[in-house]
Amino acid sequence: MTVGIVGMGYVGLPLAVAFAQAGHRVIAMDVDSRKVAALERGESYIEDIPSEAVHAVRDLLEPTTRVGPLGHADAVLLCVPTPLTANREPDLGPLLDATQALARVLRAGQLVVLESTSYPGTTRERLLPLLEESGLAAGSDFSLAHSPERVDPGREDHTIRTTPKVIGGLTEVCTQRASDLYSAICDEVVPVATPEVAEMTKLLENIFRSVNIALVNELAILSDRMGIDIWEVVDAAATKPFGFMRFEPGPGMGGHCLPVDPFYLAWRAREFDFPTEFIELAGKVNMQMPYHCVVKIERALNDAGQAVKGSRVAILGVSYKAGIGDLRESPALKILRLLADRGADLVYHDPHVPELPQGMRSLPLEQALDGADLAVIVTAHTEIDLHTVIAAAPRVVDLRGVTRRMPAPSVERL
């Protein structure tokens, strides 16, 4: 089998390696020539995929920036970004461009699967008409399905192989063809009735997390005003063996899914005269968390008789979650910007992010803490020695609750 994959990012590259490891030829297409060049050398640029894994299957990978080779694939998976515009509305530009390009080389008998997250109706209403410009009919001449990605960067306990794969085809035959395809790399496939069910499934998964994180974040703000330790509250509530699921507060949500997906559904819902107030409120609460964190930082400095302006602040961890170097939608970037606007002298340490887009470079932990008036734990990488942080920094603001078992008068938690 030959599998074409469009988009060699956090979703596409793991899929490419998985299919190649299963013995299938993979056409790895991306418009970024740097990614293609890296794959040609057998190198990975994603932390979850070691270069050794790419090198081991290099003979089965055909990296390319051209769409033409996709015409020789048995199946084509679309794994391109689906971001938001500056106005927090869906930006399907990259997806629609990729679909139009694919339509030019689409041939009878192929299977096309959308992996990218989008609102219900995207596969049927946006992709299908573009693909049928090829002169082929979806459901008879070629198969079409949606199977939402479930990638969680940095996670090792659940893999592509062990994570059930939800699949919704345009027809029963489409669903079966997609199920047969993914059975080569997934232990369990979960067929559903339509592409819309599959699209809504992914949104439910992420909105569930977004809403619950917003709830505990709002309680964290309230608890702060009431003088209650929210971490002790969460720990105590988590002892209940039923009817409660643990979620923890933090500086805000990052990555591609949680900060983005709820707005896709909210936008779509407006077409049905249905304001998703609950979902949008959760998004607003989570988007405000970096501002609340900056207030905590200002207060910690003020208690020491210092203003933010001119104070040296060491930011510890800038990726959106621990254990990875992914900066997408990271709340640390907003916290850095807000502190810079207030005149703070900023340095940062992150073992996974050597340099930020604006040119600031990560310092070794000891150097970042040297002379710092305040250290802020934004992302709790396990490589960051908390004992060193508490010993070296005169004041610490812990936005992740990782010091709650290490009582120290210099530490203030979210």
Side-chain angles (χ1 to χ4, degrees):
M1 183 166 60
T2 299
V3 181
I5 301 178
V6 181
M8 286 291 105
Y10 285 88
V11 176
L13 182 55
L15 283 170
V17 171
F19 276 110
Q21 288 174 336
H24 303 290
R25 178 169 169 263
V26 177
I27 301 169
M29 188 264 175
D30 200 288
V31 295
D32 188 341
S33 59
R34 294 169 299 178
K35 292 180 179 177
V36 170
L39 296 179
E40 288 175 339
R41 295 190 300 268
E43 298 174 1
S44 173
Y45 40 83
I46 292 177
E47 288 175 291
D48 284 357
I49 304 296
S51 290
E52 293 79 7
V54 176
H55 189 271
V57 297
R58 187 169 57 172
D59 291 343
L60 287 170
L61 292 181
E62 182 186 337
T64 181
T65 58
R66 298 182 301 109
V67 71
L70 296 175
H72 303 293
D74 299 297
V76 179
L77 315 183
L78 298 174
C79 307
V80 299
T82 46
L84 294 172
T85 67
N87 296 323
R88 313 299 289 180
E89 294 184 347
D91 179 7
L92 295 183
L95 175 59
L96 300 183
D97 289 346
T99 304
Q100 287 179 315
L102 175 60
R104 292 196 292 269
V105 299
L106 190 68
R107 61 175 176 79
Q110 284 186 306
L111 165 67
V112 179
V113 182
L114 173 62
E115 285 250 354
S116 307
T117 305
S118 189
Y119 55 80
T122 300
T123 305
R124 189 185 303 270
E125 298 172 14
R126 305 304 301 274
L127 268 62
L128 187 152
L130 292 176
L131 293 171
E132 288 191 334
E133 289 180 2
S134 63
L136 302 174
S140 54
D141 296 327
F142 69 94
S143 297
L144 179 62
H146 180 71
S147 182
E149 56 89 4
R150 282 174 159 176
V151 173
D152 188 5
R155 187 153 201 160
E156 298 179 354
D157 54 341
H158 296 290
T159 64
I160 289 178
R161 169 65 64 183
T162 62
T163 302
K165 199 79 172 83
V166 174
I167 299 167
L170 192 66
T171 66
E172 289 185 6
V173 173
C174 294
T175 301
Q176 186 60 54
R177 286 199 62 193
S179 297
D180 292 342
L181 169 73
Y182 285 107
S183 293
I185 61 170
C186 300
D187 289 339
E188 180 182 357
V189 296
V190 183
V192 295
T194 65
E196 289 81 4
V197 172
E199 290 160 338
M200 183 67 96
T201 297
K202 176 59 185 295
L203 294 178
L204 172 60
E205 293 168 4
N206 286 335
I207 290 170
F208 170 80
R209 292 179 63 198
S210 173
V211 166
N212 281 280
I213 290 171
L215 171 63
V216 75
N217 277 339
E218 190 166 63
L219 290 177
I221 297 173
L222 175 60
S223 296
D224 180 55
R225 295 189 183 184
M226 298 175 70
I228 298 172
D229 186 345
I230 186 62
W231 299 99
E232 186 174 5
V233 172
V234 172
D235 287 343
T239 64
K240 185 179 181 181
F242 55 89
F244 181 83
M245 180 176 291
R246 184 187 185 102
F247 287 87
E248 296 184 348
M253 298 189 305
H256 171 71
C257 294
L258 296 191
V260 175
D261 294 355
F263 292 98
Y264 264 69
L265 184 59
W267 178 85
R268 177 64 164 167
R270 289 195 289 272
E271 295 187 16
F272 294 83
D273 297 322
F274 190 90
T276 53
E277 297 176 1
F278 196 65
I279 296 171
E280 294 187 66
L281 178 60
K284 291 177 182 178
V285 170
N286 290 325
M287 289 174 61
Q288 287 301 310
M289 285 308 292
Y291 295 91
H292 173 68
C293 293
V294 170
V295 170
K296 296 278 290 187
I297 293 168
E298 291 175 327
R299 185 194 307 164
L301 288 169
N302 187 65
D303 289 345
Q306 295 177 264
V308 174
K309 186 174 183 178
S311 292
R312 185 178 176 89
V313 179
I315 302 296
L316 307 181
V318 295
S319 59
Y320 84 84
K321 65 180 286 190
I324 63 173
D326 193 343
L327 289 172
R328 291 177 298 172
E329 303 289 334
S330 174
L333 301 180
K334 180 169 285 188
I335 291 172
L336 281 165
R337 180 178 59 79
L338 293 172
L339 291 174
D341 290 344
R342 288 160 173 76
D345 176 18
L346 295 169
V347 295
Y348 87 93
H349 167 74
D350 192 309
H352 297 270
V353 183
E355 186 174 359
L356 293 177
Q358 60 265 43
M360 186 184 298
R361 296 192 65 83
S362 175
L363 299 179
L365 180 60
E366 292 76 9
Q367 187 177 343
L369 295 172
D370 185 26
D373 298 298
L374 177 73
V376 186
I377 302 171
V378 181
T379 307
H381 296 300
T382 56
E383 298 94 332
I384 297 176
D385 188 335
L386 299 177
H387 293 283
T388 297
V389 174
I390 293 174
R395 282 162 295 281
V396 178
V397 174
D398 175 10
L399 303 180
R400 295 291 184 177
V402 290
T403 63
R404 60 186 183 275
R405 303 284 187 262
M406 306 164 62
S410 62
V411 178
E412 182 174 346
R413 282 174 285 278
L414 181 65

